[in-house]
Amino acid sequence: MNENNNNIEQNEELDINHLMQIRRDKLKELQEAGKDPFEITKYDRTNTAGEIKANYENFEEKDVKIAGRIIAKRIMGKASFCTIQDSDEKIQSYISINDLGEESYKAFKTWDIGDIIGISGFVFKTKTEEISVHAKEVVLLSKSLRPLPEKFHGLKDADLRYRQRYVDLIMNPEVKQTFITRSKIISEIRRILDEKGYLEVETPILNTISGGATAKPFVTHHNSLDLSMYLRIATELNLKRLIVGGYDKVYEIGRIFRNEGMDIRHNPEFTSIEFYAAYVDYQYMMDITEEIFTKCAMKVLGTTKITYQGQEIDLTPGWKRISMIDSVKEACGVDFNKIETDEEAVKLAKERGIEIPDKTKETRGDVIALFFDEYVEKTLIQPTFIYDYPVEISPLAKRSQKDNRLTERFEIFIGGREYGNAFSELNDPIDQYERFKKQVEARDAGDEEAGMMDEDFVQALEYGMPPTGGIGIGIDRLVMLLTDSASIRDVLLFPTMKPINNTIADQKAKKTENKDKIDNNNFKTEIKREDAINLLKKYNKEEFHIRHAITVEQIMRYFAKKYNENEDFWGLVGLLHDVDYEMYPEEHCQKAPEILKEINANSELINAVCSHGYGICSDIKPEHNMEKILFATDELSGLIWAATKMRPSQSTKDMELSSLKKKYKDKKFAAGCSREIITKGAEILGWEIDELLSNTLEAMKEVEDNIQTEYNLAK
């Protein structure tokens, strides 16, 4: 099978090169005939396809000039149809030799899918009632020298989609709609704040001090000043300087840079909005936050009741408001109001098995935050304000008037994720200076995310800053929420990606290297299954996760036997593929290598485990059959298990393929199981989707008894 796949890839590469050469030859002929399309500087387009189709009654029989990319052609002798796509719609055009003349019609027939053309003619409806343009003149405006992806399969590989967003936007209209929605959300936020009298400002991206948040900065160098500088990790401190300067309300929507991990929720550069208002507190910020989320949802969806990744969420104002301490008590029964000292808190953490990262975090406040992370955050599905944070984790927030160990700070949680962070801003310069000193001490102790001393900001506060409320909201996460996007990369036009070699020589060398690696690797391991089970249970406490791991393990052993491969190795890959998911969901596939080294896992096992997150949380592409089958069956096994639980027998053994196919097509069923990933898995394997469904169902029938036996032993 590997040899066949390699042959297919080589043939595809040859076909693309051949097609590109044909297109270059066509361009050369045009240039030699004095008809170089790249010399055209403008085209006087009168209307877009969207305008025409939305207002047909105003355009019927009227002359128009439209322009766009050819996405379909149907040549029928002396008359043809072609469809073009412009910025907002597709529209068909009828083109005939009688209207264009023999020479122009002959030229049109040589144009390719992907070429950009202009069409002049009148609007009409065909016999099938399709709104079209009857062409009187066509002109080639730009020659496409590279063929678009084949229409049926399109551009579905997530990695390629993010790298080649320009092709993604051409081939996948729903992607274009996501970014139109993003623009509408940002415009709506601006409208709300502008109407409330906020002033939009711009503050520096390059700073001599990194501050305003807890994060590791990017470092650059200013040549003229011979000075190290930091890309901003927040806009907070400069915006508060403007409050000191006399502006009552300011905001900035801008790019933020943090030199940290990448996963489905984090990108090194992202967009946030921060806004500040004088003479208000964090309660005011809760109210305006509800208003922004509600109005943005109404603007782009027309409702405040939404679905995000299968979860029903109600954004209607009146969100739950609960203190951090009360939320912990509600979730696990521990009341930190009764715990007075750092020593008591640390002891309790050890009793509960909560790991404290280092000595500097052995405080009551830090332990409260760790309990919140462990017991509360993932449970906050409906919109919730968590307020009154410990002072140890809130260096820029004003102390609470009720308890000076706490601060007037809140965060917004929806669907188990944080969406914004707000304070009654600290305006006491003496207190601020002392908190900066603690940050410096933490930084000197090795905490790269701790803030720096900003004496100029302290000086600004010494001139006097009025009582102020402020908030920062992640624009990308808000867009993810309102477009039902699973990954932050889906809402960034150009997400950060690891560079790839693009030269033909580099590509050939990489293929040869991968082929040698795959063909010569026996995938052996000395790891005992008992050690792997213990590692799995160390990082996974939920029964569902243990069962899923054993299910995938047994499926992988089934396929290994079928392909005469190493069953033990394939089984270990399946057993440990999600080892980091429960404890580190935001760093899935990123933490796995570190965890797997605890049992001396070799690079082949680590690589295989990480490859199952390709395009989502990992850049490692499945290459070997083992990796491809893991990628394809992991998500699908969850869907089959969910379908099994719906059956009276609670078994796969009497499940028909037709029944599974119905469940697969019903996107409301087991909505958390991504059909896109399952489809991508089939493509990676070179199987039809029915073939993948059939083979995986057969595997689960075969290993069902083994799954139950091994699960009972593992409990």
Side-chain angles (χ1 to χ4, degrees), residues 18 28 146 168 182 190 198 204 264 289 323 356 512 528 570 615 629 673 688:
H18 178 63
K28 186 176 180 181
R146 184 179 290 271
D168 189 26
R182 180 187 176 103
R190 278 197 169 99
Y198 283 80
I264 60 173
T289 298
S323 72
I356 300 175
T512 301
K528 295 178 181 178
W570 282 47
I629 287 171
C673 296
E688 295 295 329

Side-chain angles (χ1 to χ4, degrees), residues 443-460:
R443 192 175 187 85
D444 290 342
D447 186 351
E448 293 180 315
E449 295 186 349
M452 301 177 182
M453 175 62 71
D454 191 337
E455 293 185 355
D456 180 79
F457 179 69
V458 173
Q459 180 175 294

Side-chain angles (χ1 to χ4, degrees), residues 72-76 79-83 92-95 108 126:
K73 279 179 71 178
R74 194 152 41 100
I75 305 294
M76 302 180 300
S80 302
F81 284 94
C82 86
T83 300
Q92 178 179 264
S93 180
Y94 172 76
I95 298 170
F108 163 76
T126 64

Side-chain angles (χ1 to χ4, degrees), residues 339-517:
I339 295 171
E340 296 294 330
T341 68
D342 294 342
E343 291 75 18
E344 288 179 277
V346 171
K347 180 182 177 184
L348 182 60
K350 290 178 179 178
E351 290 173 357
R352 292 279 181 142
I354 294 177
E355 183 179 350
I356 300 175
D358 57 63
K359 290 286 184 182
T360 64
K361 305 296 183 184
E362 291 184 346
T363 70
R364 174 179 175 274
D366 283 301
V367 171
I368 292 171
L370 290 171
F371 267 72
F372 175 81
D373 293 343
E374 176 70 21
Y375 292 107
V376 182
E377 183 170 349
K378 60 189 175 186
T379 71
L380 302 176
I381 305 305
Q382 297 306 318
T384 304
F385 292 111
I386 299 292
Y387 64 86
D388 288 359
Y389 278 50
V391 70
E392 289 88 344
I393 61 170
S394 311
L396 296 166
K398 181 171 285 192
R399 291 179 188 268
S400 168
Q401 296 180 27
K402 296 173 291 185
D403 184 343
N404 68 3
R405 296 173 300 178
L406 304 176
T407 62
E408 292 194 354
R409 172 189 175 188
F410 73 78
E411 287 185 304
I412 314 153
F413 291 90
I414 304 172
R417 296 181 179 181
E418 181 257 321
Y419 282 80
N421 187 21
F423 310 146
S424 292
E425 301 296 337
L426 179 61
N427 61 346
D428 178 346
I430 298 171
D431 191 358
Q432 182 65 81
Y433 182 77
E434 292 302 318
R435 294 201 216 174
F436 274 152
K437 281 176 65 177
K438 289 185 182 298
Q439 290 288 298
V440 171
E441 289 170 6
R443 192 175 187 85
D444 290 342
D447 186 351
E448 293 180 315
E449 295 186 349
M452 301 177 182
M453 175 62 71
D454 191 337
E455 293 185 355
D456 180 79
F457 179 69
V458 173
Q459 180 175 294
L461 293 183
E462 288 173 343
Y463 281 99
M465 184 175 83
T468 297
I471 188 169
I473 297 172
I475 295 290
D476 307 306
R477 289 193 180 181
L478 177 57
V479 176
M480 288 170 65
L481 179 70
L482 297 182
T483 59
D484 195 15
S485 298
S487 171
I488 192 172
R489 293 181 176 185
D490 292 327
V491 300
L492 297 175
L493 278 168
F494 302 104
T496 304
M497 303 291 289
K498 185 177 180 179
I500 57 174
N501 295 320
N502 289 316
T503 67
I504 293 173
D506 285 334
Q507 290 173 1
K508 288 181 178 178
K510 186 175 181 181
K511 286 186 177 180
T512 301
E513 177 188 333
N514 287 339
K515 185 175 186 302
D516 289 342
K517 175 186 172 184

Side-chain angles (χ1 to χ4, degrees), residues 312-330:
E312 301 292 330
I313 293 172
D314 189 352
L315 297 175
T316 305
W319 297 2
K320 181 177 180 179
R321 304 182 182 192
I322 184 170
S323 72
M324 179 175 277
I325 288 177
D326 286 344
S327 74
V328 170
K329 180 181 177 182
E330 192 176 274

Side-chain angles (χ1 to χ4, degrees), residues 93-130:
S93 180
Y94 172 76
I95 298 170
S96 74
I97 192 171
N98 293 334
D99 294 302
L100 265 61
E102 186 174 345
E103 184 178 348
S104 293
Y105 186 69
K106 181 181 178 181
F108 163 76
K109 291 201 296 183
T110 69
W111 297 347
D112 295 302
I113 302 295
D115 288 351
I116 296 173
I117 66 173
I119 300 172
S120 176
F122 63 88
V123 179
F124 76 109
K125 278 187 179 180
T126 64
K127 293 179 180 179
T128 58
E129 293 294 299
E130 182 167 357

Side-chain angles (χ1 to χ4, degrees), residues 25 33 79 81 220 448 552 593 621 647:
D25 291 342
F81 284 94
T220 187
E448 293 180 315
V552 177
K621 186 174 183 179
R647 302 180 68 77

